[in-house]
Amino acid sequence: MIRGSAWLSCAGLRPTRQRLSLAALLVGDGQDRHVTAESLFVLAEQAGEKVSLATVYNTLRAFCDAGLMNEVVVDGSKSYFDTRTDDHPHFYWEDSAELTDAPKDQLHISGLPDAPEGAEITRIDVVIRVRRV
């Protein structure tokens, strides 16, 4: 719980019971995670936490807004939430609907279009779709 509390504190988020319990599931062991709201809800249930799916969605949104996580959208309808916030590519495993980190050092982007006038590029999401053969 201490790691989760420190994680929330560094972003200035109030440590509510629900935020603390979800933060512990996300970063309590120091490992990076890619979760959906539904998968985090199941993890919370398995841990005996009393939290609604709506609360999980709202909490993940608050974590993203605070810069603690990034949302990675796959297929325009499926969102994954990543606790690793540096710029890095992902593999999306089509056969298991799993999102994993891809090697950052192997990705080379040689050029980007200029941002439209009055706008700036804030992030580039690279999702490489793969399937086991």
Side-chain angles (χ1 to χ4, degrees), residues 72-92:
V72 180
V73 179
V74 178
D75 284 338
S77 62
K78 184 97 169 164
S79 288
Y80 290 81
F81 297 89
D82 188 356
T83 58
R84 183 176 160 192
T85 58
D86 66 310
D87 288 332
H88 62 281
H90 292 95
F91 288 126
Y92 176 70

Side-chain angles (χ1 to χ4, degrees), residues 4-19:
S5 179
W7 191 60
L8 294 175
S9 179
C10 77
L13 288 176
R14 191 168 44 90
T16 64
R17 181 189 62 78
Q18 293 94 343
R19 286 179 180 169

Side-chain angles (χ1 to χ4, degrees), residues 79-121:
S79 288
Y80 290 81
F81 297 89
D82 188 356
T83 58
R84 183 176 160 192
T85 58
D86 66 310
D87 288 332
H88 62 281
H90 292 95
F91 288 126
Y92 176 70
W93 297 86
E94 292 180 328
D95 49 349
S96 62
E98 181 182 5
L99 191 73
T100 60
D101 292 332
K104 181 179 180 176
D105 61 337
Q106 295 178 15
L107 177 68
H108 302 283
I109 298 175
S110 61
L112 294 173
D114 292 334
E117 188 173 328
E120 67 179 355
I121 297 172

